[in-house]
């Protein structure tokens, strides 16, 4: 055992020589400043990240609101298009423009023969529905400009086109 105690003394002595016995010579101030700067930088980075996320959230909510408004506007326009493309509205507008129903069409076959019976399209003249009274009455003594003066809508009979289809001429159709 004596020997074991002597070996420990030798090892302890060697370790004691490696470790300084006095106050540490390393300065703690730069290390503390480094840690404080790292923590402060991390905090500032988190604050900047949070504020940019909040800004993006505000932009997102603004864009969602604008999308909702544009969707409402699109639906309103689609309802307007649907009402104008209804069959009865199309017929009324066509008659206002002087168009008449075409009847059964005649076709020119590839071999030059005519399919169907070509006829002249005729229809009764268009009579517009009675106009609704306007809410604001126009005084007759007040001068009116041509752009604001109400124009009477008396339909003029458009010349009806005559179609005579021969095997040498292509038939005229309404484009459908």
């Amino acid at each position: 055992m004596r020997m074991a105690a002597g070996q420990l003394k030798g090892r302890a002595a060697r370790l004691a020589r490696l470790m300084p016995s006095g106050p540490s010579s390393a300065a703690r101030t730069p290390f503390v400043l480094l840690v404080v700067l790292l923590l402060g930088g991390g905090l500032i980075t988190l604050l900047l990240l949070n504020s940019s996320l909040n800004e993006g959230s505000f932009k997102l909510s603004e864009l969602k609101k604008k999308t909702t408004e544009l969707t409402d506007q699109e639906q309103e326009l689609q309802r307007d298009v649907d009402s104008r493309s209804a069959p009865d509205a199309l017929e009324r507008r066509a008659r206002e423009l002087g168009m008449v129903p075409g009847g059964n069409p005649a076709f020119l076959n590839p071999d030059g023969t005519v399919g169907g019976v070509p006829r002249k399209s005729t229809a009764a003249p268009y009579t517009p529905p009675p106009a609704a009274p306007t809410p604001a009455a126009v005084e007759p003594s007040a001068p009116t400009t041509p752009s604001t003066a109400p124009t009477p809508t008396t339909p003029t009979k458009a010349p009806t086109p005559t179609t005579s289809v021969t095997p040498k001429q292509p038939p005229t159709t309404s484009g459908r």
Side-chain angles (χ1 to χ4, degrees):
M1 281 205 185
R2 209 171 172 200
M3 198 162 262
Q7 280 182 342
L8 287 176
K9 277 189 172 182
R11 282 186 183 168
R14 279 184 270 163
L15 286 174
R17 277 188 262 145
L18 292 175
M19 301 273 298
S21 59
S24 135
S25 62
R28 292 179 188 244
T29 306
F31 177 72
V32 170
L33 284 176
L34 178 68
V35 169
V36 167
L37 285 174
L38 287 175
L39 288 174
L43 258 170
I44 290 172
T45 303
L46 282 174
L47 286 173
L48 291 174
L49 182 64
N50 191 17
S51 65
S52 70
L53 286 175
N54 283 339
E55 183 182 345
S57 174
F58 285 127
K59 283 182 181 177
L60 181 65
S61 65
E62 183 180 318
L63 289 174
K64 282 183 179 179
K65 182 180 177 183
K66 182 138 181 136
T67 300
T68 303
E69 290 173 1
L70 290 175
T71 301
D72 291 345
Q73 184 181 7
E74 178 190 16
Q75 289 174 353
E76 181 181 334
L77 291 172
Q78 187 62 45
R79 279 192 303 270
D80 188 34
V81 166
D82 290 342
S83 69
R84 290 177 186 253
S85 62
D88 58 336
L90 287 175
E91 180 185 11
R92 182 180 40 80
R93 290 279 298 140
R95 288 192 181 271
E96 286 174 2
L97 294 173
M99 300 173 124
V100 294
N104 293 330
F107 296 99
L108 183 61
N109 295 323
D111 61 353
T113 62
V114 177
V117 179
R119 287 182 294 170
K120 180 179 173 183
S121 295
T122 59
Y126 174 70
T127 56
T134 57
V138 178
E139 294 181 23
S141 62
T144 57
T145 60
S147 62
T148 60
T151 57
T153 56
T154 56
T156 57
K157 185 172 180 181
T160 41
T162 57
T163 21
S164 62
V165 179
T166 61
K168 295 179 183 175
Q169 295 176 345
T172 57
T173 60
S174 64
R176 288 189 175 203

